[in-house]
Amino acid sequence: MFEHTYDTDDAIAALATPWGTSALALIRGSGGGSLELLEKVFSPLSRLREAAGGTFLHGVLSDPVSGEPLDDVVVLVFRSPASYTGEDGFDISCHGSLPGIASILEALRNAGFRDAGPGEFTMRAFLNGKMDLTRAEAVREIVESKSRKAHSLALQRLSGAIAKRIKLLRSKLLDTAGKIELALDYPEDELDETIVLDSGPVNEVIADLKGLLSTFSTGRLFQAGARVAVCGRTNAGKSSLFNLFLKEDRSIVSEVHGTTRDYIESWINIGGIPIRLFDTAGLRDGGDAVEIEGIRRTRELIDAVDLVLYLVDAQAGVAGEDADFLNRPGNKGRTIPVWNKTDLTDGAAPAGYVPVSVVSGEGFHRLEERIAGHFLKTAYTGDEAVIDSQRQKECLESALDSLEHVKAGIENDVSLDAVAADLQGALLAFGELSGEITAAEVLDTIFSKFCVGK
Amino acid sequence: MFEHTYDTDDAIAALATPWGTSALALIRGSGGGSLELLEKVFSPLSRLREAAGGTFLHGVLSDPVSGEPLDDVVVLVFRSPASYTGEDGFDISCHGSLPGIASILEALRNAGFRDAGPGEFTMRAFLNGKMDLTRAEAVREIVESKSRKAHSLALQRLSGAIAKRIKLLRSKLLDTAGKIELALDYPEDELDETIVLDSGPVNEVIADLKGLLSTFSTGRLFQAGARVAVCGRTNAGKSSLFNLFLKEDRSIVSEVHGTTRDYIESWINIGGIPIRLFDTAGLRDGGDAVEIEGIRRTRELIDAVDLVLYLVDAQAGVAGEDADFLNRPGNKGRTIPVWNKTDLTDGAAPAGYVPVSVVSGEGFHRLEERIAGHFLKTAYTGDEAVIDSQRQKECLESALDSLEHVKAGIENDVSLDAVAADLQGALLAFGELSGEITAAEVLDTIFSKFCVGK
């Protein structure tokens, strides 16, 4: 069908679960002849040959070269077209042992399987007509979602919410497209009635497209998340606040890891928004060359984040350095000032500050609300499909642009040829969105972002 | 049957694959009524009800409380007794999304499942007679094995190699046991012939037990691995050697992580032996209180490891400090001196040193052979079952001890009552080994070491 980086008809296999010690692991295989190749490693052979699709077998895997037994496994048998990819295939459920997984993958290679590339199973599902491109992208978005909200939005896309919406928009344009085609094919005098183009349906589609495009920032927010840095002077309580966020967030356990000596970071979850939180406790003036480099990197980080939580120690009060930071033009509108250590002082917080005590936890919930509010104030809150993919956004923008031309053309009585070309452009953009019309390199780009095994 | 920490007849569920973002994840459930409870979250309901054991279904999971759809899944249906645990149960293959996995586990809890404890599935398999205790322990050993050799030894145990061996030893004792029983039950004059006890079979079993026990250190070596530290003066090339080991070892990818400021460590694999390798580059004299504490900890580490690779810089030659270390009584016999930087010097290495260049890699393979040789020189190399479990070792020692008494009793014509009691003790120890006779708390201890989901 297309020229892809990947072959699309050989037998592929990959570990589909994370590389780690655990009770079980899943190894997935697919492709023409994959069940026959599996016969080289699975016994009892006869049961595999007889197995109907949709059944699973208990058996032993052995290396086809050495004959050495490798593991007790359960094999799920998929027979085309009733599988994820649409091809013959299998899932092997084996023990979650690192050397065991490695030896099974090697045995599959010895039997003739190729290691699957990222997203290759889903790419095959797409190429075999098991799902359109918006659903295929949703598979990746589901896997990579960092909060329940993001997961639920992606699941909605997997169910085809966007594909259905686009189909509807497209159908609204077909009447106009038909009329134009008729007018272009037949001279006016051969037709019974004069063709009058009405921009109404096009306007409707334009309005709908704008609505869909407006959901993009919301989609991105929930899928890609936002970057938030905890800043402030030494001893303002930055690391304590950072740790408090980690402790409160039970929804996703992510490891805290120091990327550099300069700051540490962790994913947390506030109001369903995945937040990549940075602790800049390493930031301090002076020091040797390494420290100066560290400070430079931390400053770059602060400039790049979406939101800064700026802590002021209520006992120390607002110092010149604090005021400088808060008043800097680049920081306004993306900084929440936090008045910390309210447990140690009596005075009220200055206007605009969120009073908290990172020791007692007092005020912490209000701070979370302020953060969520900051991001959600422009968010789309409807219950229709929300887009998150940059590619989908570009397709929609391209369609919108073409339709604006169509609209202007109709309203200004421009030549029908030009209007027809623009309308064709819009329909093409919809086709690209769903994947009906897509260049091979575009597909390769899309699927290369997937996990291996998907 | 026993009073366990775990209930043994309720419905349990757990994630069986590692907690991480990936293509797929497996969630496992088991217990009486588990398929009925699954009906609360799975649709289409009718297909689940009709599903035969050994088949799998594609469907959607939803939360039983909110009704919210959670994921597209494949469900494997197990019907008692054809399952791992022997009970009704299922495996859910879902998308490997962290929020998705968390929401499915919550939905299962809402439907009435309890979170499974470590090893609880395997414990049920044991209690339901699906496997004896040596096989159950092998399940954990397979999952935790750190090299192919360890994996293959554990797989041999899973196939029942130890259980079969013990059964054979036991049967060899039954004739002796029968004779003693007869003699105790009937006064001598009631029997047709005089009962003569022969210590031959007991001697055979004793010899065999000793053989089996001698495999323990080999089993431990491959399963638990050995600890090796890279030591030497500043600039001897410690960290370069450490990194070279990591680069060469492609069999297990483990992350390098600094446990303290004082040393970093990683699992590597030399000749099938899992090696926990420590880089002590942080070791240096003097400094502040923190550094002194670090040095103390590093020294403790060096005293505790099984083998030290002591690097000497060939350009700098053997200094007094090096000689002190190598001559210290506690270090002899567990130190391999390494003559590094042969690429920069011409002279031969001093006797006993392994010459290497960590820059060019020259001599590295020889060093690996020396390390493997150090550990394997006393290893068991036969092809019979190898034991690795401390518990199994203790059972075998207890049986051996009892049989030595039986032997002495027979040879010295001790009263039959005493011999009978000792023989009973040996048979009891075999029963404990296979799990036929085991106290509940012993089982709890065994299974609590497992992964959750196994």
Side-chain angles (χ1 to χ4, degrees):
Chain A
M1 181 170 176
F2 295 117
E3 279 290 324
H4 291 287
T5 313
Y6 299 144
D7 278 340
T8 53
D9 55 0
D10 56 346
I12 54 175
L15 177 66
T17 46
W19 176 246
T21 299
S22 57
L24 297 176
L26 268 185
I27 292 171
R28 183 177 245 196
S30 187
S34 57
L35 289 170
E36 288 71 24
L37 290 179
L38 186 64
E39 290 178 5
K40 297 190 191 176
V41 298
F42 182 87
S43 64
L45 190 57
S46 58
R47 289 201 55 214
L48 177 59
R49 282 201 182 137
E50 289 156 12
T55 61
F56 61 87
L57 312 169
H58 180 242
V60 172
L61 293 192
S62 308
D63 189 276
V65 177
S66 66
E68 190 196 350
L70 301 177
D71 202 2
D72 259 32
V73 300
V74 166
V75 171
L76 284 68
V77 177
F78 295 92
R79 297 207 181 264
S80 173
S83 70
Y84 182 73
T85 56
E87 305 170 329
D88 278 359
F90 56 83
D91 284 359
I92 295 170
S93 167
C94 62
H95 289 102
S97 141
L98 299 185
I101 294 168
S103 63
I104 293 174
L105 289 173
E106 190 180 304
L108 291 175
R109 260 176 241 125
N110 290 342
F113 287 88
R114 171 170 66 76
D115 287 355
E120 205 170 350
F121 293 92
T122 307
M123 188 185 208
R124 291 186 175 195
F126 166 73
L127 292 175
N128 293 326
K130 302 290 283 190
M131 53 175 75
D132 78 305
L133 212 47
T134 64
R135 283 180 177 90
E137 284 177 306
V139 169
R140 179 170 69 87
E141 291 156 6
I142 284 177
V143 165
E144 293 180 357
S145 61
K146 293 177 196 73
S147 75
R148 291 217 182 170
K149 176 74 180 172
H151 184 259
S152 130
L153 291 174
L155 203 65
Q156 199 185 25
R157 288 189 283 270
L158 182 67
S159 75
I162 292 173
K164 279 174 210 152
R165 183 92 172 263
I166 295 303
K167 204 171 166 191
L168 186 72
L169 295 185
R170 206 170 178 180
S171 72
K172 280 187 187 171
L173 294 175
L174 289 185
D175 184 51
T176 308
K179 278 185 186 168
I180 294 177
E181 204 177 318
L182 204 63
L184 286 173
D185 284 355
Y186 300 94
E188 203 167 329
D189 51 0
E190 284 185 25
L191 294 171
D192 292 341
E193 46 179 341
T194 313
I195 290 172
V196 182
L197 288 177
D198 169 16
S199 67
V202 175
N203 281 337
E204 265 179 51
V205 173
I206 286 175
D208 216 1
L209 271 183
K210 284 183 177 166
L212 197 53
L213 273 165
S214 74
T215 66
F216 178 71
S217 61
T218 306
R220 286 311 289 171
L221 177 65
F222 285 109
Q223 185 67 26
R227 307 207 296 167
V228 176
V230 179
C231 301
R233 285 192 289 142
T234 306
N235 208 27
K238 295 185 289 296
S239 293
S240 304
L241 179 62
F242 182 84
N243 290 330
L244 190 56
F245 274 113
L246 261 52
K247 209 181 76 188
E248 294 291 321
D249 178 29
R250 302 257 172 242
S251 53
I252 298 184
V253 178
S254 78
E255 251 174 72
V256 182
H257 50 100
T259 48
T260 71
R261 294 187 359 163
D262 318 318
Y263 51 82
I264 60 168
E265 58 171 279
S266 183
W267 281 101
I268 60 164
N269 178 340
I270 298 178
I273 308 163
I275 302 267
R276 193 168 161 194
L277 189 71
F278 298 89
D279 179 6
T280 66
L283 181 63
R284 61 193 176 281
D285 278 317
D288 59 19
V290 175
E291 278 185 346
I292 289 168
E293 172 60 17
I295 290 163
R296 194 188 60 73
R297 274 194 241 150
T298 306
R299 290 238 162 92
E300 266 183 21
L301 171 77
I302 293 173
D303 287 343
V305 297
D306 303 299
L307 179 68
V308 172
L309 305 180
Y310 192 89
L311 263 73
V312 172
D313 178 347
Q315 287 189 297
V318 182
E321 199 183 319
D322 300 326
D324 285 351
F325 185 94
L326 294 169
N327 291 327
R328 201 171 300 150
N331 295 339
K332 281 196 172 167
R334 60 172 199 107
T335 304
I336 297 178
V338 181
W339 190 247
N340 186 25
K341 309 196 186 176
T342 54
D343 52 318
L344 300 176
T345 50
D346 286 331
Y353 280 73
V354 182
V356 302
S357 161
V358 295
V359 174
S360 71
E362 196 199 333
F364 179 74
H365 188 61
R366 213 157 39 228
L367 177 60
E368 285 198 314
E369 285 173 350
R370 269 288 291 274
I371 296 168
H374 175 86
F375 290 113
L376 293 176
K377 63 174 181 268
T378 58
Y380 171 77
T381 53
D383 56 0
E384 299 219 53
V386 165
I387 63 164
D388 117 79
S389 141
Q390 182 67 31
R391 186 193 71 82
Q392 291 174 15
K393 175 173 173 262
E394 284 165 13
C395 289
L396 292 176
E397 283 172 344
S398 161
L400 180 62
D401 188 52
S402 298
L403 288 178
E404 298 273 17
H405 280 92
V406 172
K407 180 190 167 192
I410 292 175
E411 287 171 358
N412 301 319
D413 247 343
V414 171
S415 94
L416 273 188
D417 287 314
V419 174
D422 285 329
L423 193 58
Q424 199 55 42
L427 292 171
L428 212 72
F430 286 145
E432 276 178 24
L433 185 72
S434 64
E436 285 156 69
I437 312 155
T438 309
E441 66 265 32
V442 173
L443 291 183
D444 285 343
T445 312
I446 292 169
F447 290 103
S448 65
K449 290 182 200 153
F450 278 62
C451 300
V452 169
K454 198 73 225 187
Chain B
M1 181 171 178
F2 295 117
E3 280 289 325
H4 291 287
T5 313
Y6 299 143
D7 278 340
T8 52
D9 55 0
D10 55 348
I12 54 175
L15 177 66
T17 47
W19 175 245
T21 300
S22 57
L24 297 175
L26 267 185
I27 293 170
R28 184 176 244 195
S30 186
S34 56
L35 289 170
E36 289 71 25
L37 289 179
L38 187 64
E39 291 179 3
K40 295 188 192 179
V41 297
F42 182 87
S43 64
L45 190 55
S46 56
R47 291 200 53 213
L48 177 59
R49 282 202 182 137
E50 291 156 12
T55 62
F56 61 86
L57 312 169
H58 179 243
V60 172
L61 293 190
S62 309
D63 190 277
V65 177
S66 67
E68 190 196 350
L70 301 177
D71 203 1
D72 259 32
V73 299
V74 165
V75 171
L76 283 70
V77 177
F78 296 91
R79 297 205 182 267
S80 172
S83 70
Y84 182 74
T85 56
E87 306 170 328
D88 279 358
F90 57 84
D91 283 359
I92 296 170
S93 168
C94 61
H95 288 101
S97 141
L98 300 184
I101 293 167
S103 63
I104 292 173
L105 289 172
E106 190 181 305
L108 292 174
R109 261 176 239 124
N110 290 342
F113 286 88
R114 171 170 66 76
D115 288 355
E120 205 170 351
F121 293 92
T122 307
M123 187 184 207
R124 289 184 176 197
F126 166 74
L127 292 175
N128 294 326
K130 302 290 284 191
M131 53 175 76
D132 79 304
L133 212 46
T134 65
R135 283 180 176 90
E137 284 176 306
V139 170
R140 179 170 69 86
E141 291 156 7
I142 285 177
V143 166
E144 292 179 357
S145 60
K146 292 178 198 71
S147 76
R148 290 215 184 170
K149 177 75 180 170
H151 184 258
S152 133
L153 290 174
L155 203 64
Q156 200 186 24
R157 290 189 283 268
L158 182 67
S159 74
I162 292 173
K164 278 174 211 152
R165 183 92 172 262
I166 295 303
K167 205 171 163 188
L168 186 72
L169 296 184
R170 207 171 177 177
S171 71
K172 282 188 186 169
L173 295 175
L174 289 184
D175 185 52
T176 309
K179 280 186 183 166
I180 294 177
E181 205 175 320
L182 205 62
L184 286 174
D185 284 356
Y186 300 95
E188 205 168 329
D189 52 358
E190 284 186 22
L191 292 172
D192 293 341
E193 47 180 340
T194 314
I195 289 174
V196 180
L197 287 178
D198 169 15
S199 65
V202 175
N203 281 337
E204 267 180 48
V205 174
I206 285 175
D208 217 0
L209 270 183
K210 282 182 177 167
L212 198 51
L213 272 164
S214 73
T215 68
F216 178 71
S217 61
T218 306
R220 286 311 288 170
L221 177 64
F222 285 109
Q223 186 68 26
R227 308 207 296 168
V228 175
V230 179
C231 299
R233 284 192 289 143
T234 306
N235 208 29
K238 296 185 289 296
S239 293
S240 303
L241 180 63
F242 182 83
N243 290 328
L244 190 57
F245 274 113
L246 261 51
K247 209 182 74 188
E248 294 291 320
D249 177 29
R250 303 257 172 244
S251 55
I252 297 185
V253 179
S254 78
E255 251 175 72
V256 182
H257 50 99
T259 48
T260 72
R261 291 186 2 162
D262 319 319
Y263 51 83
I264 60 169
E265 58 171 280
S266 184
W267 281 99
I268 61 164
N269 178 342
I270 298 178
I273 307 162
I275 302 268
R276 192 169 162 193
L277 188 71
F278 298 89
D279 178 7
T280 66
L283 182 63
R284 62 192 174 283
D285 277 320
D288 59 19
V290 175
E291 279 184 346
I292 290 168
E293 171 61 16
I295 290 163
R296 195 189 58 74
R297 274 194 241 150
T298 305
R299 290 236 162 94
E300 266 182 21
L301 171 78
I302 293 172
D303 286 343
V305 296
D306 305 298
L307 180 68
V308 172
L309 305 179
Y310 192 88
L311 264 72
V312 173
D313 178 347
Q315 287 190 296
V318 182
E321 198 184 320
D322 299 327
D324 285 353
F325 185 94
L326 294 168
N327 292 326
R328 202 169 299 151
N331 295 339
K332 282 195 173 168
R334 59 171 199 108
T335 303
I336 297 178
V338 181
W339 191 247
N340 186 25
K341 309 196 187 176
T342 54
D343 51 318
L344 300 176
T345 50
D346 287 329
Y353 280 73
V354 182
V356 301
S357 161
V358 296
V359 173
S360 71
E362 196 199 333
F364 180 73
H365 188 61
R366 212 157 43 227
L367 177 60
E368 284 197 315
E369 283 173 354
R370 270 287 291 274
I371 296 168
H374 175 87
F375 290 113
L376 293 177
K377 63 176 182 267
T378 58
Y380 172 76
T381 53
D383 57 359
E384 297 220 53
V386 165
I387 62 164
D388 116 79
S389 142
Q390 183 65 33
R391 186 193 71 83
Q392 292 175 16
K393 174 173 175 262
E394 284 165 12
C395 290
L396 292 176
E397 283 172 343
S398 161
L400 180 62
D401 188 53
S402 298
L403 288 178
E404 299 273 18
H405 280 93
V406 172
K407 180 190 167 192
I410 293 175
E411 288 171 356
N412 302 320
D413 250 343
V414 171
S415 94
L416 272 188
D417 286 314
V419 175
D422 284 328
L423 193 57
Q424 199 56 43
L427 292 171
L428 211 70
F430 287 145
E432 276 178 25
L433 185 72
S434 64
E436 284 155 72
I437 311 155
T438 309
E441 64 267 32
V442 173
L443 291 183
D444 286 342
T445 310
I446 292 169
F447 290 102
S448 66
K449 290 182 201 155
F450 276 63
C451 297
V452 170
K454 197 74 227 185

